[in-house]
Amino acid sequence: MNTGSLPVPINEQGEPQPWQVLFVDDEANILSSLRRLFRSSGYQIRVATSGAEGLILLAEAPADLVVSDMRMPEMDGAQFLEQVRARWPDTMRVLLTGYADMQSTIDAINRGQIFRYISKPWDDNDIQLVVRQALERKHLEREKRRLEALTALQNEELQDLNASLELKVMERTVELRQAHEKLKASFLTSIKVFAGLIELRESTLAGHSNRVAGLARKIAVHMGLAHNEVQDVFVAGLLHDIGKIGLPDTLLNKPLTHMNGAELGLLRKHPAKGEQALMALQDLQGAAALIRSHHERFDGQGYPDGLAGIAIPLGARILAVANDYDGLQIGIVAQRHLAADDALRMVAEGRGKRYDPQVVDAILAVLGAREQESSGEVAVTLADLKPGMTLARDLLTRDGVLLLAADYTLDDRLISQIRGFARTEGTALNLYIYQSQG
C-alpha cells in the first residue's frame, strides 16, 4: 500500500528521513511476511524476534511505530509495550493478537496504552491501513508539539516586542514631555522678555511685572488653584500692563493720586485693551480674562465692568492684591514709596472692601513664609559664578529687562556674556543661585 500524502519526517538537521517502524515477533516467517508487505511503503523497517531484542534496537535508535505480537516467550507483547511506553512515550504502539488472547489484549490496552490491536490472521489492507493511521497520528502529535513550541516562541517574541514597544513608547513619551516642557519654558521666557520691553517705557516699572507674577503665582498655589489656573495667573501677572502700551509717557510716570478725571478715564481703558491684545492667542485667553478684571474691586467700585465679590474671577482678585502690593512700594499707586511692611498693612486694611478677604489672608501667609522660602537660594557675585550653577531667580538688568530666566543652568559662554554685559553697562547685577550649589 502506497503511503500517499503521508508527510515525511524531518530530522534535526532539516533533512527528510523515512518513517521508522519496528516489528517484533518470535516467528521468523511472520517477520518475513511483514517485511515483504511493507517493502514498497517507503518506511524503514526493522525486526526483532523478542521483546528484549526490541528494547535493545529501540535503545540504539527509537522508532516512530512498534508493532508487537502478543504471544512471545519470556516477555509477552503486553509487558514489552508497557516498557516501550515507559521509556519511549512518543512511540506509537500496535498489538498483534489472536482471539484467544482477549484478556491479554485488554491488559496491553490498559498497561501499554496501545493505539490499536490487529487480530491474527490479519488482512493485508487492514494492517497497512492501521500502520498508516498510526503514523498519521504520530505526525499529528509531532506537528501539534511543533506548533505549540512555535506558538510559545512567537508568544515570547511577541512579549519581547511588546516590552520593546512599551519601552520605545515610554522613551518617546519622555522625549515629547521634555520637548513640551522646553517649549513651555521658552514660551514663558518669551513672555517675560516681552513684559520687560513694556516696562522700558517707564523706569519706575522695572521688574514690576516679574514681581507681581511671582507673588501672584505663590498666592494662587497657596490657595490651591489647579495647575492651569496657576499658569494663567502667572502669565496674566507678566502681561497685566500690556494695555498701557498706547498711553502717553506723561501718563505712565504719574501716580494715580495725581491724575485728573480725563487721565483716569484714559488709564482705566488699559485692562480691556490688554484683554483685546491677547484674545487672538488661544493659549492666552485665560490670562486675558484675568487681565481685564485685575482692577475690579471686591466692593464693586472697580473698573472696567464694576464687578463685585466672587463675580470677579479669582485669578483677577489675586492679581489685584499682588499688583497693588508691589505698586505701593514703587510709587505707581501713590507718590510716596512705601516700605514692604507698610504696603502689606495697606493691603490688609482693604480686606473686604478693595480686596477679597481670602486673598488678603493668603498674601499674609505667603509673605510671612517668605524668609523661610528664601533659604533655598543664595546671592552670588559675578566673580563667584561657575559653570553648572542654576539661577534661582530671573536675571534682570537695572531697567528690568530679562537677561536669563530662572532655572537656567550656566556654562562658560553665558558667564562670560553676563560679565561682559556688566562691564559694558557699568552696573551691578543681582544673581541668585540654588543654595546647594553655592
Side-chain angles (χ1 to χ4, degrees):
M1 180 178 180
N2 194 292
T3 60
S5 60
L6 180 63
V8 177
I10 304 298
N11 62 19
E12 294 180 356
Q13 288 73 38
E15 301 169 344
Q17 63 179 22
W19 290 100
Q20 305 291 314
V21 179
L22 173 64
F23 291 107
V24 182
D25 200 300
D26 61 330
E27 298 183 38
N29 61 328
I30 290 181
L31 294 176
S32 297
S33 297
L34 290 170
R35 276 185 179 278
R36 286 194 301 271
L37 180 61
F38 288 95
R39 182 176 297 158
S40 61
S41 64
Y43 309 144
Q44 182 172 325
I45 304 298
R46 290 182 293 169
V47 297
T49 56
S50 66
E53 183 183 355
L55 294 176
I56 293 173
L57 291 177
L58 289 173
E60 294 174 353
D64 298 305
L65 170 65
V66 172
V67 181
S68 174
D69 185 30
M70 182 63 220
R71 287 191 174 185
M72 294 186 296
E74 299 179 4
M75 182 188 300
D76 64 19
Q79 295 170 328
F80 168 65
L81 293 177
E82 182 180 7
Q83 290 201 40
V84 172
R85 171 179 171 267
R87 297 172 63 180
W88 299 279
D90 292 337
T91 297
M92 301 299 296
R93 299 170 294 280
V94 173
L95 182 68
L96 289 172
T97 182
Y99 290 112
D101 299 325
M102 190 52 62
Q103 184 56 51
S104 298
T105 301
I106 293 173
D107 291 341
I109 293 172
N110 292 334
R111 293 159 57 190
Q113 295 187 4
I114 62 175
F115 171 71
R116 200 73 58 83
Y117 72 87
I118 302 171
S119 301
K120 288 183 175 180
W122 66 74
D123 179 84
D124 286 351
N125 287 329
D126 287 347
I127 193 172
Q128 286 179 308
L129 181 60
V130 169
V131 167
R132 176 184 174 83
Q133 289 173 344
L135 294 176
E136 286 176 341
R137 173 71 174 273
K138 171 74 175 180
H139 168 70
L140 291 175
E141 290 180 353
R142 180 181 290 161
E143 188 66 10
K144 177 176 176 289
R145 287 194 299 272
R146 185 187 70 81
L147 292 175
E148 287 175 345
L150 178 61
T151 300
L153 178 62
Q154 290 175 336
N155 285 338
E156 184 177 345
E157 292 175 346
L158 183 60
Q159 289 177 354
D160 292 341
L161 182 61
N162 285 337
S164 176
L165 183 59
E166 289 176 1
L167 180 60
K168 290 180 179 178
V169 170
M170 188 181 302
E171 290 174 347
R172 184 58 178 159
T173 301
V174 171
E175 290 175 359
L176 289 174
R177 185 180 296 115
Q178 291 173 341
H180 174 71
E181 292 300 323
K182 185 176 181 180
L183 184 62
K184 185 167 67 174
S186 297
F187 176 67
L188 288 175
T189 300
S190 299
I191 291 176
K192 288 181 179 181
V193 170
F194 185 62
L197 293 175
I198 296 172
E199 294 173 353
L200 284 178
R201 290 191 58 208
E202 185 179 1
S203 59
T204 57
L205 286 178
H208 171 66
S209 294
N210 274 286
R211 292 191 298 272
V212 170
L215 178 57
R217 176 165 55 183
K218 290 179 181 179
I219 297 172
V221 171
H222 180 82
M223 296 186 70
L225 272 66
H227 175 75
N228 62 313
E229 294 174 322
V230 173
Q231 185 81 345
D232 283 344
V233 168
F234 180 67
V235 173
L238 291 172
L239 298 176
H240 71 279
D241 280 335
I242 189 174
K244 292 182 178 179
I245 289 179
L247 296 178
D249 292 342
T250 55
L251 191 59
L252 287 175
N253 292 306
K254 183 179 292 189
L256 289 173
T257 54
H258 286 63
M259 291 185 186
N260 58 39
E263 290 171 334
L264 283 173
L266 188 60
L267 177 71
R268 288 177 177 178
K269 293 180 180 179
H270 86 267
K273 288 184 176 180
E275 179 194 33
Q276 294 167 6
L278 300 179
M279 285 301 294
L281 300 173
Q282 185 174 359
D283 291 341
L284 295 181
Q285 288 180 5
L290 303 185
I291 290 172
R292 179 182 182 90
S293 300
H294 79 280
H295 277 295
E296 301 288 356
R297 288 174 45 132
F298 200 70
D299 59 7
Q301 300 301 309
Y303 59 89
D305 302 307
L307 301 178
I310 60 174
I312 307 169
L314 178 55
R317 284 176 263 156
I318 293 172
L319 202 57
V321 170
N323 183 42
D324 282 1
Y325 171 73
D326 193 75
L328 287 166
Q329 296 177 67
I330 62 175
I332 61 174
V333 176
Q335 189 174 14
R336 186 165 60 96
H337 293 229
L338 300 183
D341 290 342
D342 294 332
L344 187 59
R345 187 162 40 253
M346 285 200 66
V347 168
E349 289 173 358
R351 187 178 190 276
K353 293 174 287 186
R354 180 179 290 273
Y355 311 115
D356 181 343
Q358 291 184 338
V359 179
V360 173
D361 292 342
I363 191 175
L364 291 172
V366 166
L367 294 179
R370 183 169 53 184
E371 292 294 328
Q372 181 178 354
E373 290 178 2
S374 65
S375 63
E377 59 187 42
V378 60
V380 293
T381 65
L382 288 173
D384 293 330
L385 291 180
K386 297 177 183 177
M389 288 182 170
T390 302
L391 293 177
R393 301 185 189 179
D394 290 340
L395 176 57
L396 305 173
T397 68
R398 183 173 51 191
D399 297 326
V401 176
L402 179 70
L403 293 179
L404 289 173
D407 296 320
Y408 212 104
T409 300
L410 303 178
D411 55 24
D412 287 322
R413 180 182 61 82
L414 286 173
I415 292 173
S416 177
Q417 289 180 347
I418 293 170
R419 289 171 178 166
F421 176 83
R423 286 193 303 270
T424 302
E425 296 295 321
T427 183
L429 295 174
N430 297 318
L431 295 111
Y432 295 85
I433 65 167
Y434 289 108
Q435 191 171 27
S436 60
Q437 300 173 342

